[in-house]
Amino acid sequence: MEQWTEIINSDGNSFSSQINGLWKYRDLILELVKRDFILYYKQTLLGPLWFIIQPILTVIVFTLVFGQMAGISTDGLPCMLFYLAGVTFWNYFSESFRQIAGSFIENQNVYSKVYFPRFIIPVSIVISNLIKLGLYFVLLAGFYIYYINHGYELRPNYYILLLPVLIATMGMLSMGMGMIIASLTCKYRDLKFLLSFGIQLMMYVTPVIYPLSATPEKYRFLFLINPMTIIIETFKFSILGKGSFSFMNLFYGIIITLIIFFLSLVIYAKIEKDFIDTI
Amino acid sequence: MNQTVIKIEGLSKTYCIRQVGTGTLCHDLNRLWHKIRGKEDPYLKIGEVNDRSSQGQTCFSKALDEISFDILQGQILGIIGRNGAGKSTLLKIISKITTPSTGIVKLKGKVASLLEVGTGFRTDLTGRENIFLNGTIMGMGAKEIKQKLDEIVDFAGVSRYLDTPVKRYSSGMLVRLGFAVAAFLEPDILIVDEVLAVGDAEFRKKAIGKLGEISHDRNRTVLFVSHNMGAIKSICDRTIVLNKGQLVFDGETDLAIQHYLNDVSTVSDVDLANRSDRNGNGQLRFEDFTMTNKMDESIPVVCTGMHIKFNFNIDVKEALKKTKVFATFRSSSGYTLFICSNFFSNDFYDLEPGKYKITMDLPRFPLSSGQYAIDLKVTSGKTVLDEIESAVTLDVENGDFFGSGRIVTSKNGVLIDHTSSIQRIEH
């Protein structure tokens, strides 16, 4: 009989059709990633160099303030390297999180004029930040080689093979948290005010500028609630050989991340169908 | 025979027209509570007819009310109606931007919507980059776009500026480029909302031609919303009329336009007695305003060139000598276009207490299509008796001013009687 390719009713777009949309709109994801990259340095003199300058300046300031002035322990590792390892991961997470959380409101103009699965933009943000993460890794490798040549004893170990797991977990965490905030801010703008200083505060309870071993033992479990703590700590341990690692913690961090991620999908599915009316 | 490509059944959409505030959370919780108990949404039922001129009882209004119709493949369907009739809501549902509250839409094929020209253009990206971004947003593959690139660029006439950021484009170029991307990527169903309101006459002609070609030569379906009756007339095979969310006419385009223009349920009677934003000493007050044709029948819409009468009822409280009445017609940007008054003919009115009706008779209404405002003022000597700014807002539709059969489609202008002649003065 009659073959309809699309049925629109009050239930909105079914989740499976949106997942299919991910493939159907793959060229859009690619375009968005490309655009993000190009726009980043359009009309700048230094161009793509900015991707490198930013982390270097951050690390220098951290070294001066936290390393020299405050004298916070880095587990005996070179300050620059220790901070860069933390900043590499933290910047990926915070940037993705911030961009995704603001993406629904920022793109409401497009959303209200044309349909494509709404989570295409968050997905493109996660991917385009992966490219920036890659550049950070190149920089990190540069510092790493420099310090090895200068006789520092760094003990990378086989846990480095966990790197893809760490990155995937971090990507999912940023997307999950970002989509929850993005979905809720559609209706309640209050969260927007919380976001930027929330991210800033979160950095201080994540071992970016200090090792987990510097936290008071009594309250350490509080730090471990945050999956980013485990991710960054595991990463530092795997390449620098200092710090702590346990499969138990990692497993636990992944579970929390999955819960957040699925929760975000549930909330997203709930608001997706008519968020353009409430935004 | 052409098959049905869009089937719409009992489509309704309820909007909450109140701003989100602290009450929202309360409503949400109440809704959730009803849902848990398996009951209907308590706020969905109280939607009422969406009449802009009367304030609703509730904050919920029906933008679309039980709409049903089918569209065949290859058809160009015109959709007309006053502002707020639900045209855009209908298109937004069909293009999946928002969901209906009840009812169902069934579609065959790929839909692309051109609800606004140049959606998603990024000003810092070049024309070429934007073509790809815009095309992929509409669900096209990069390969497909690459194939059509030359045609798109050619139609838009931007080949020289292809690698220039679009922020350097003129607005006309942007419009052409946006239209070209949507029109050339050949979706099965193309949705076009009022894009012809922008751009110059030449572009409009080209765009209308392109839409006709898409539907007739390639058998694609086009849904076309416009306030430009001329454009609707020239390309639509069939037209539907929406009014306050309801489908009031479905059929031949000429009849639909007629139906729309004669739609008596629209606002032609404006209550002025309750306006509080007025000046004057109150010895005289404007009470209401009506619009009639030369047979004194009430009409809802003014067309350019029509014989029309503007009637103002006034209530005179005290005897007044030598009063002058002014009706100032202003463009939407605030400029005075012309003034009607008894002052110009030295025919001042001497009034006794009581009610009067003032009629201003314009044998050929001179304003072209667009929105205008009428300011009203009555003075006696130097005293202002009553004054209301923007007492009436007037929607003017295209019409035949010169009696030549040519529908004047220019926007926001005054037309005047004139002749033009040519003489050879040298051989």
Side-chain angles (χ1 to χ4, degrees), chain A residues 3 5-6 8 10 12 27 39 42-43 107 113 115 187-188 273 277, chain B residues 13 28 95-98 100-101 104-105 107-109 116 122 141-142 167:
Chain A
Q3 283 298 306
T5 53
E6 201 110 51
I8 301 168
S10 60
D27 283 340
L39 279 183
K42 267 251 157 121
Q43 258 193 22
N107 290 291
K113 297 287 185 249
Y115 174 79
K187 200 156 189 184
Y188 310 108
K273 64 173 188 164
D277 300 335
Chain B
K13 173 85 185 171
D28 285 349
S95 48
K96 297 207 292 179
I97 290 161
T98 182
S101 305
I104 193 160
V105 179
L107 298 171
K108 254 176 238 168
E116 191 178 85
R122 293 289 153 138
K167 62 182 167 188

PDB file of all heavy atoms in Angstrom, chain A residues 3 5-6 8 10 12 27 39 42-43 107 113 115 187-188 273 277, chain B residues 13 28 95-98 100-101 104-105 107-109 116 122 141-142 167:
ATOM      1  N   GLN A   3       3.404   4.011   0.895  1.00  0.00           N
ATOM      2  CA  GLN A   3       4.681   4.011   1.609  1.00  0.00           C
ATOM      3  C   GLN A   3       5.008   5.424   2.072  1.00  0.00           C
ATOM      4  O   GLN A   3       5.372   6.271   1.264  1.00  0.00           O
ATOM      5  CB  GLN A   3       5.775   3.510   0.669  1.00  0.00           C
ATOM      6  CG  GLN A   3       5.763   1.999   0.475  1.00  0.00           C
ATOM      7  CD  GLN A   3       6.011   1.270   1.769  1.00  0.00           C
ATOM      8  OE1 GLN A   3       6.982   1.512   2.446  1.00  0.00           O
ATOM      9  NE2 GLN A   3       5.116   0.348   2.116  1.00  0.00           N
ATOM     10  N   THR A   5       7.440   7.902   4.049  1.00  0.00           N
ATOM     11  CA  THR A   5       8.815   7.865   4.542  1.00  0.00           C
ATOM     12  C   THR A   5       8.920   8.530   5.898  1.00  0.00           C
ATOM     13  O   THR A   5       9.914   8.387   6.589  1.00  0.00           O
ATOM     14  CB  THR A   5       9.771   8.592   3.583  1.00  0.00           C
ATOM     15  OG1 THR A   5       9.253   9.898   3.361  1.00  0.00           O
ATOM     16  CG2 THR A   5       9.886   7.866   2.275  1.00  0.00           C
ATOM     17  N   GLU A   6       7.890   9.276   6.263  1.00  0.00           N
ATOM     18  CA  GLU A   6       8.003  10.040   7.498  1.00  0.00           C
ATOM     19  C   GLU A   6       6.621  10.239   8.092  1.00  0.00           C
ATOM     20  O   GLU A   6       5.687  10.574   7.383  1.00  0.00           O
ATOM     21  CB  GLU A   6       8.604  11.402   7.177  1.00  0.00           C
ATOM     22  CG  GLU A   6       9.222  12.076   8.333  1.00  0.00           C
ATOM     23  CD  GLU A   6      10.724  12.117   8.176  1.00  0.00           C
ATOM     24  OE1 GLU A   6      11.209  12.540   7.117  1.00  0.00           O
ATOM     25  OE2 GLU A   6      11.399  11.713   9.122  1.00  0.00           O
ATOM     26  N   ILE A   8       4.809  12.350  11.159  1.00  0.00           N
ATOM     27  CA  ILE A   8       5.024  13.354  12.209  1.00  0.00           C
ATOM     28  C   ILE A   8       3.799  13.374  13.101  1.00  0.00           C
ATOM     29  O   ILE A   8       2.687  13.557  12.618  1.00  0.00           O
ATOM     30  CB  ILE A   8       5.211  14.746  11.588  1.00  0.00           C
ATOM     31  CG1 ILE A   8       6.412  14.754  10.638  1.00  0.00           C
ATOM     32  CG2 ILE A   8       5.380  15.798  12.670  1.00  0.00           C
ATOM     33  CD1 ILE A   8       6.501  15.985   9.785  1.00  0.00           C
ATOM     34  N   SER A  10       2.503  13.902  17.599  1.00  0.00           N
ATOM     35  CA  SER A  10       2.850  14.653  18.803  1.00  0.00           C
ATOM     36  C   SER A  10       3.979  14.011  19.603  1.00  0.00           C
ATOM     37  O   SER A  10       4.496  14.612  20.529  1.00  0.00           O
ATOM     38  CB  SER A  10       1.613  14.820  19.685  1.00  0.00           C
ATOM     39  OG  SER A  10       1.136  13.546  20.041  1.00  0.00           O
ATOM     40  N   GLY A  12       6.859  13.465  18.512  1.00  0.00           N
ATOM     41  CA  GLY A  12       8.150  13.991  18.096  1.00  0.00           C
ATOM     42  C   GLY A  12       8.945  12.954  17.326  1.00  0.00           C
ATOM     43  O   GLY A  12       8.423  11.908  16.941  1.00  0.00           O
ATOM     44  N   ASP A  27      27.705  14.344   6.618  1.00  0.00           N
ATOM     45  CA  ASP A  27      28.384  15.449   5.935  1.00  0.00           C
ATOM     46  C   ASP A  27      28.222  16.762   6.692  1.00  0.00           C
ATOM     47  O   ASP A  27      29.104  17.615   6.661  1.00  0.00           O
ATOM     48  CB  ASP A  27      27.834  15.617   4.516  1.00  0.00           C
ATOM     49  CG  ASP A  27      28.397  14.559   3.581  1.00  0.00           C
ATOM     50  OD1 ASP A  27      29.450  13.987   3.920  1.00  0.00           O
ATOM     51  OD2 ASP A  27      27.789  14.296   2.530  1.00  0.00           O
ATOM     52  N   LEU A  39      36.806  28.899  11.629  1.00  0.00           N
ATOM     53  CA  LEU A  39      36.368  30.132  12.285  1.00  0.00           C
ATOM     54  C   LEU A  39      37.258  30.496  13.452  1.00  0.00           C
ATOM     55  O   LEU A  39      37.357  31.642  13.826  1.00  0.00           O
ATOM     56  CB  LEU A  39      34.922  29.982  12.771  1.00  0.00           C
ATOM     57  CG  LEU A  39      33.849  30.186  11.720  1.00  0.00           C
ATOM     58  CD1 LEU A  39      32.480  30.080  12.343  1.00  0.00           C
ATOM     59  CD2 LEU A  39      34.007  31.548  11.051  1.00  0.00           C
ATOM     60  N   LYS A  42      40.048  32.597  11.814  1.00  0.00           N
ATOM     61  CA  LYS A  42      39.781  33.535  10.713  1.00  0.00           C
ATOM     62  C   LYS A  42      40.080  34.951  11.184  1.00  0.00           C
ATOM     63  O   LYS A  42      39.771  35.323  12.304  1.00  0.00           O
ATOM     64  CB  LYS A  42      38.312  33.441  10.283  1.00  0.00           C
ATOM     65  CG  LYS A  42      38.096  32.465   9.153  1.00  0.00           C
ATOM     66  CD  LYS A  42      37.756  33.132   7.825  1.00  0.00           C
ATOM     67  CE  LYS A  42      38.095  32.222   6.688  1.00  0.00           C
ATOM     68  NZ  LYS A  42      36.967  31.893   5.840  1.00  0.00           N
ATOM     69  N   GLN A  43      40.697  35.709  10.285  1.00  0.00           N
ATOM     70  CA  GLN A  43      41.046  37.113  10.581  1.00  0.00           C
ATOM     71  C   GLN A  43      41.966  37.238  11.798  1.00  0.00           C
ATOM     72  O   GLN A  43      41.840  38.176  12.575  1.00  0.00           O
ATOM     73  CB  GLN A  43      39.783  37.949  10.761  1.00  0.00           C
ATOM     74  CG  GLN A  43      39.484  38.764   9.522  1.00  0.00           C
ATOM     75  CD  GLN A  43      38.439  39.835   9.728  1.00  0.00           C
ATOM     76  OE1 GLN A  43      38.182  40.290  10.820  1.00  0.00           O
ATOM     77  NE2 GLN A  43      37.843  40.270   8.648  1.00  0.00           N
ATOM     78  N   ASN A 107      22.307  28.293  18.936  1.00  0.00           N
ATOM     79  CA  ASN A 107      21.885  27.940  17.588  1.00  0.00           C
ATOM     80  C   ASN A 107      20.381  27.956  17.403  1.00  0.00           C
ATOM     81  O   ASN A 107      19.869  27.384  16.449  1.00  0.00           O
ATOM     82  CB  ASN A 107      22.418  26.557  17.223  1.00  0.00           C
ATOM     83  CG  ASN A 107      23.911  26.577  17.041  1.00  0.00           C
ATOM     84  OD1 ASN A 107      24.414  27.161  16.090  1.00  0.00           O
ATOM     85  ND2 ASN A 107      24.630  25.985  17.968  1.00  0.00           N
ATOM     86  N   LYS A 113      14.557  27.296  12.174  1.00  0.00           N
ATOM     87  CA  LYS A 113      14.305  27.453  10.748  1.00  0.00           C
ATOM     88  C   LYS A 113      14.440  26.162   9.955  1.00  0.00           C
ATOM     89  O   LYS A 113      13.914  26.051   8.863  1.00  0.00           O
ATOM     90  CB  LYS A 113      15.289  28.480  10.157  1.00  0.00           C
ATOM     91  CG  LYS A 113      15.139  29.863  10.722  1.00  0.00           C
ATOM     92  CD  LYS A 113      13.883  30.535  10.211  1.00  0.00           C
ATOM     93  CE  LYS A 113      13.821  31.957  10.706  1.00  0.00           C
ATOM     94  NZ  LYS A 113      12.758  32.149  11.685  1.00  0.00           N
ATOM     95  N   TYR A 115      15.151  21.670  10.209  1.00  0.00           N
ATOM     96  CA  TYR A 115      15.284  20.517  11.081  1.00  0.00           C
ATOM     97  C   TYR A 115      16.493  19.661  10.719  1.00  0.00           C
ATOM     98  O   TYR A 115      16.727  19.346   9.559  1.00  0.00           O
ATOM     99  CB  TYR A 115      14.041  19.619  11.012  1.00  0.00           C
ATOM    100  CG  TYR A 115      14.254  18.354  11.808  1.00  0.00           C
ATOM    101  CD1 TYR A 115      14.132  18.386  13.185  1.00  0.00           C
ATOM    102  CD2 TYR A 115      14.660  17.171  11.197  1.00  0.00           C
ATOM    103  CE1 TYR A 115      14.390  17.277  13.942  1.00  0.00           C
ATOM    104  CE2 TYR A 115      14.924  16.046  11.953  1.00  0.00           C
ATOM    105  CZ  TYR A 115      14.787  16.094  13.324  1.00  0.00           C
ATOM    106  OH  TYR A 115      15.062  14.993  14.079  1.00  0.00           O
ATOM    107  N   LYS A 187      14.513  25.981  28.930  1.00  0.00           N
ATOM    108  CA  LYS A 187      13.357  26.490  29.635  1.00  0.00           C
ATOM    109  C   LYS A 187      13.770  27.376  30.810  1.00  0.00           C
ATOM    110  O   LYS A 187      13.207  28.421  31.027  1.00  0.00           O
ATOM    111  CB  LYS A 187      12.512  25.324  30.130  1.00  0.00           C
ATOM    112  CG  LYS A 187      11.103  25.738  30.423  1.00  0.00           C
ATOM    113  CD  LYS A 187      10.162  24.557  30.350  1.00  0.00           C
ATOM    114  CE  LYS A 187       8.718  25.013  30.417  1.00  0.00           C
ATOM    115  NZ  LYS A 187       7.808  23.878  30.438  1.00  0.00           N
ATOM    116  N   TYR A 188      14.739  26.913  31.536  1.00  0.00           N
ATOM    117  CA  TYR A 188      15.137  27.652  32.734  1.00  0.00           C
ATOM    118  C   TYR A 188      16.522  28.253  32.518  1.00  0.00           C
ATOM    119  O   TYR A 188      17.527  27.554  32.599  1.00  0.00           O
ATOM    120  CB  TYR A 188      15.133  26.730  33.953  1.00  0.00           C
ATOM    121  CG  TYR A 188      13.847  25.955  34.085  1.00  0.00           C
ATOM    122  CD1 TYR A 188      13.798  24.588  33.832  1.00  0.00           C
ATOM    123  CD2 TYR A 188      12.676  26.599  34.447  1.00  0.00           C
ATOM    124  CE1 TYR A 188      12.614  23.881  33.927  1.00  0.00           C
ATOM    125  CE2 TYR A 188      11.499  25.901  34.548  1.00  0.00           C
ATOM    126  CZ  TYR A 188      11.459  24.551  34.294  1.00  0.00           C
ATOM    127  OH  TYR A 188      10.284  23.862  34.385  1.00  0.00           O
ATOM    128  N   LYS A 273      11.356  17.427  21.371  1.00  0.00           N
ATOM    129  CA  LYS A 273      10.269  17.555  20.396  1.00  0.00           C
ATOM    130  C   LYS A 273       9.712  18.966  20.280  1.00  0.00           C
ATOM    131  O   LYS A 273       9.302  19.371  19.216  1.00  0.00           O
ATOM    132  CB  LYS A 273       9.152  16.562  20.692  1.00  0.00           C
ATOM    133  CG  LYS A 273       8.466  16.781  22.012  1.00  0.00           C
ATOM    134  CD  LYS A 273       7.277  15.845  22.112  1.00  0.00           C
ATOM    135  CE  LYS A 273       6.465  16.172  23.334  1.00  0.00           C
ATOM    136  NZ  LYS A 273       5.139  15.565  23.262  1.00  0.00           N
ATOM    137  N   ASP A 277       9.757  25.734  20.969  1.00  0.00           N
ATOM    138  CA  ASP A 277       8.632  26.576  21.405  1.00  0.00           C
ATOM    139  C   ASP A 277       8.905  27.224  22.758  1.00  0.00           C
ATOM    140  O   ASP A 277       8.298  28.233  23.102  1.00  0.00           O
ATOM    141  CB  ASP A 277       7.352  25.749  21.530  1.00  0.00           C
ATOM    142  CG  ASP A 277       6.962  25.118  20.209  1.00  0.00           C
ATOM    143  OD1 ASP A 277       7.351  25.667  19.170  1.00  0.00           O
ATOM    144  OD2 ASP A 277       6.272  24.092  20.230  1.00  0.00           O
TER     145      ASP A 277
ATOM    146  N   LYS B  13      -2.158  22.588  17.057  1.00  0.00           N
ATOM    147  CA  LYS B  13      -0.983  22.999  17.827  1.00  0.00           C
ATOM    148  C   LYS B  13      -1.392  24.036  18.854  1.00  0.00           C
ATOM    149  O   LYS B  13      -1.975  25.062  18.516  1.00  0.00           O
ATOM    150  CB  LYS B  13       0.079  23.587  16.885  1.00  0.00           C
ATOM    151  CG  LYS B  13       1.256  24.191  17.583  1.00  0.00           C
ATOM    152  CD  LYS B  13       2.294  23.163  17.907  1.00  0.00           C
ATOM    153  CE  LYS B  13       3.424  23.744  18.722  1.00  0.00           C
ATOM    154  NZ  LYS B  13       4.326  22.717  19.222  1.00  0.00           N
ATOM    155  N   ASP B  28       4.560  22.722  35.216  1.00  0.00           N
ATOM    156  CA  ASP B  28       5.278  21.509  34.815  1.00  0.00           C
ATOM    157  C   ASP B  28       5.025  20.392  35.802  1.00  0.00           C
ATOM    158  O   ASP B  28       4.785  19.248  35.421  1.00  0.00           O
ATOM    159  CB  ASP B  28       6.787  21.788  34.734  1.00  0.00           C
ATOM    160  CG  ASP B  28       7.120  22.589  33.489  1.00  0.00           C
ATOM    161  OD1 ASP B  28       6.225  22.719  32.629  1.00  0.00           O
ATOM    162  OD2 ASP B  28       8.249  23.075  33.390  1.00  0.00           O
ATOM    163  N   SER B  95       7.975  20.687   8.459  1.00  0.00           N
ATOM    164  CA  SER B  95       9.425  20.539   8.324  1.00  0.00           C
ATOM    165  C   SER B  95      10.080  20.046   9.612  1.00  0.00           C
ATOM    166  O   SER B  95      11.286  20.115   9.755  1.00  0.00           O
ATOM    167  CB  SER B  95      10.055  21.851   7.848  1.00  0.00           C
ATOM    168  OG  SER B  95       9.584  22.931   8.595  1.00  0.00           O
ATOM    169  N   LYS B  96       9.273  19.548  10.548  1.00  0.00           N
ATOM    170  CA  LYS B  96       9.761  18.873  11.747  1.00  0.00           C
ATOM    171  C   LYS B  96      10.474  19.766  12.759  1.00  0.00           C
ATOM    172  O   LYS B  96      11.169  19.288  13.651  1.00  0.00           O
ATOM    173  CB  LYS B  96      10.698  17.702  11.408  1.00  0.00           C
ATOM    174  CG  LYS B  96      10.005  16.614  10.622  1.00  0.00           C
ATOM    175  CD  LYS B  96      10.641  15.274  10.850  1.00  0.00           C
ATOM    176  CE  LYS B  96      12.030  15.204  10.262  1.00  0.00           C
ATOM    177  NZ  LYS B  96      12.656  13.907  10.512  1.00  0.00           N
ATOM    178  N   ILE B  97      10.327  21.076  12.607  1.00  0.00           N
ATOM    179  CA  ILE B  97      10.983  21.967  13.555  1.00  0.00           C
ATOM    180  C   ILE B  97      10.278  21.910  14.892  1.00  0.00           C
ATOM    181  O   ILE B  97      10.896  21.944  15.941  1.00  0.00           O
ATOM    182  CB  ILE B  97      11.016  23.396  12.992  1.00  0.00           C
ATOM    183  CG1 ILE B  97      11.986  23.432  11.834  1.00  0.00           C
ATOM    184  CG2 ILE B  97      11.407  24.399  14.045  1.00  0.00           C
ATOM    185  CD1 ILE B  97      11.815  24.577  10.929  1.00  0.00           C
ATOM    186  N   THR B  98       8.971  21.805  14.865  1.00  0.00           N
ATOM    187  CA  THR B  98       8.243  21.643  16.103  1.00  0.00           C
ATOM    188  C   THR B  98       7.229  20.518  15.901  1.00  0.00           C
ATOM    189  O   THR B  98       6.993  20.094  14.779  1.00  0.00           O
ATOM    190  CB  THR B  98       7.577  22.966  16.519  1.00  0.00           C
ATOM    191  OG1 THR B  98       6.916  22.771  17.762  1.00  0.00           O
ATOM    192  CG2 THR B  98       6.571  23.435  15.502  1.00  0.00           C
ATOM    193  N   PRO B 100       3.345  18.731  16.459  1.00  0.00           N
ATOM    194  CA  PRO B 100       1.956  19.113  16.679  1.00  0.00           C
ATOM    195  C   PRO B 100       1.504  18.690  18.069  1.00  0.00           C
ATOM    196  O   PRO B 100       2.127  17.814  18.667  1.00  0.00           O
ATOM    197  CB  PRO B 100       1.208  18.334  15.600  1.00  0.00           C
ATOM    198  CG  PRO B 100       2.077  17.168  15.297  1.00  0.00           C
ATOM    199  CD  PRO B 100       3.483  17.616  15.519  1.00  0.00           C
ATOM    200  N   SER B 101       0.462  19.318  18.582  1.00  0.00           N
ATOM    201  CA  SER B 101      -0.081  18.877  19.866  1.00  0.00           C
ATOM    202  C   SER B 101      -0.933  17.626  19.657  1.00  0.00           C
ATOM    203  O   SER B 101      -0.873  16.693  20.438  1.00  0.00           O
ATOM    204  CB  SER B 101      -0.932  19.970  20.493  1.00  0.00           C
ATOM    205  OG  SER B 101      -0.182  21.148  20.600  1.00  0.00           O
ATOM    206  N   ILE B 104      -1.657  14.278  12.849  1.00  0.00           N
ATOM    207  CA  ILE B 104      -0.574  13.534  12.234  1.00  0.00           C
ATOM    208  C   ILE B 104      -0.281  14.078  10.835  1.00  0.00           C
ATOM    209  O   ILE B 104      -1.173  14.564  10.145  1.00  0.00           O
ATOM    210  CB  ILE B 104      -0.961  12.036  12.210  1.00  0.00           C
ATOM    211  CG1 ILE B 104       0.231  11.150  11.888  1.00  0.00           C
ATOM    212  CG2 ILE B 104      -2.087  11.753  11.240  1.00  0.00           C
ATOM    213  CD1 ILE B 104       0.003   9.722  12.313  1.00  0.00           C
ATOM    214  N   VAL B 105       0.992  14.045  10.460  1.00  0.00           N
ATOM    215  CA  VAL B 105       1.396  14.411   9.101  1.00  0.00           C
ATOM    216  C   VAL B 105       2.158  13.237   8.530  1.00  0.00           C
ATOM    217  O   VAL B 105       3.058  12.711   9.179  1.00  0.00           O
ATOM    218  CB  VAL B 105       2.331  15.645   9.100  1.00  0.00           C
ATOM    219  CG1 VAL B 105       2.737  15.986   7.686  1.00  0.00           C
ATOM    220  CG2 VAL B 105       1.675  16.829   9.761  1.00  0.00           C
ATOM    221  N   LEU B 107       4.461  11.931   5.252  1.00  0.00           N
ATOM    222  CA  LEU B 107       5.231  12.502   4.157  1.00  0.00           C
ATOM    223  C   LEU B 107       5.877  11.423   3.330  1.00  0.00           C
ATOM    224  O   LEU B 107       6.199  10.347   3.826  1.00  0.00           O
ATOM    225  CB  LEU B 107       6.374  13.367   4.704  1.00  0.00           C
ATOM    226  CG  LEU B 107       6.067  14.591   5.532  1.00  0.00           C
ATOM    227  CD1 LEU B 107       7.358  15.111   6.124  1.00  0.00           C
ATOM    228  CD2 LEU B 107       5.429  15.631   4.664  1.00  0.00           C
ATOM    229  N   LYS B 108       6.087  11.739   2.060  1.00  0.00           N
ATOM    230  CA  LYS B 108       6.885  10.868   1.209  1.00  0.00           C
ATOM    231  C   LYS B 108       8.030  11.683   0.653  1.00  0.00           C
ATOM    232  O   LYS B 108       7.791  12.640  -0.065  1.00  0.00           O
ATOM    233  CB  LYS B 108       6.019  10.348   0.051  1.00  0.00           C
ATOM    234  CG  LYS B 108       5.607   8.894   0.202  1.00  0.00           C
ATOM    235  CD  LYS B 108       4.697   8.507  -0.927  1.00  0.00           C
ATOM    236  CE  LYS B 108       3.383   8.016  -0.381  1.00  0.00           C
ATOM    237  NZ  LYS B 108       2.370   7.891  -1.429  1.00  0.00           N
ATOM    238  N   GLY B 109       9.245  11.303   0.959  1.00  0.00           N
ATOM    239  CA  GLY B 109      10.380  11.984   0.348  1.00  0.00           C
ATOM    240  C   GLY B 109      11.073  12.957   1.266  1.00  0.00           C
ATOM    241  O   GLY B 109      10.705  13.149   2.414  1.00  0.00           O
ATOM    242  N   GLU B 116      13.605  30.864   5.966  1.00  0.00           N
ATOM    243  CA  GLU B 116      14.219  32.176   5.937  1.00  0.00           C
ATOM    244  C   GLU B 116      15.443  32.020   5.060  1.00  0.00           C
ATOM    245  O   GLU B 116      16.171  31.057   5.185  1.00  0.00           O
ATOM    246  CB  GLU B 116      14.637  32.599   7.341  1.00  0.00           C
ATOM    247  CG  GLU B 116      15.043  34.018   7.427  1.00  0.00           C
ATOM    248  CD  GLU B 116      15.403  34.371   8.847  1.00  0.00           C
ATOM    249  OE1 GLU B 116      16.559  34.129   9.223  1.00  0.00           O
ATOM    250  OE2 GLU B 116      14.534  34.854   9.572  1.00  0.00           O
ATOM    251  N   ARG B 122      27.168  31.774   8.045  1.00  0.00           N
ATOM    252  CA  ARG B 122      28.119  32.348   8.998  1.00  0.00           C
ATOM    253  C   ARG B 122      28.852  33.457   8.288  1.00  0.00           C
ATOM    254  O   ARG B 122      29.446  33.234   7.237  1.00  0.00           O
ATOM    255  CB  ARG B 122      29.114  31.284   9.475  1.00  0.00           C
ATOM    256  CG  ARG B 122      28.477  30.204  10.297  1.00  0.00           C
ATOM    257  CD  ARG B 122      28.083  30.751  11.656  1.00  0.00           C
ATOM    258  NE  ARG B 122      26.964  29.997  12.186  1.00  0.00           N
ATOM    259  CZ  ARG B 122      26.845  29.614  13.444  1.00  0.00           C
ATOM    260  NH1 ARG B 122      27.773  29.936  14.315  1.00  0.00           N
ATOM    261  NH2 ARG B 122      25.797  28.949  13.860  1.00  0.00           N
ATOM    262  N   GLY B 141      23.932  15.750   0.789  1.00  0.00           N
ATOM    263  CA  GLY B 141      25.287  15.241   0.897  1.00  0.00           C
ATOM    264  C   GLY B 141      26.262  16.204   0.243  1.00  0.00           C
ATOM    265  O   GLY B 141      25.902  16.950  -0.659  1.00  0.00           O
ATOM    266  N   ALA B 142      27.506  16.154   0.729  1.00  0.00           N
ATOM    267  CA  ALA B 142      28.522  17.065   0.184  1.00  0.00           C
ATOM    268  C   ALA B 142      28.746  16.808  -1.308  1.00  0.00           C
ATOM    269  O   ALA B 142      29.022  17.725  -2.078  1.00  0.00           O
ATOM    270  CB  ALA B 142      29.820  16.909   0.963  1.00  0.00           C
ATOM    271  N   LYS B 167      30.130  38.237   4.781  1.00  0.00           N
ATOM    272  CA  LYS B 167      29.827  39.516   5.427  1.00  0.00           C
ATOM    273  C   LYS B 167      30.092  40.696   4.492  1.00  0.00           C
ATOM    274  O   LYS B 167      29.632  41.793   4.743  1.00  0.00           O
ATOM    275  CB  LYS B 167      30.603  39.665   6.735  1.00  0.00           C
ATOM    276  CG  LYS B 167      32.094  39.669   6.599  1.00  0.00           C
ATOM    277  CD  LYS B 167      32.738  39.771   7.965  1.00  0.00           C
ATOM    278  CE  LYS B 167      34.229  39.458   7.866  1.00  0.00           C
ATOM    279  NZ  LYS B 167      34.854  39.354   9.170  1.00  0.00           N
TER     280      LYS B 167
END
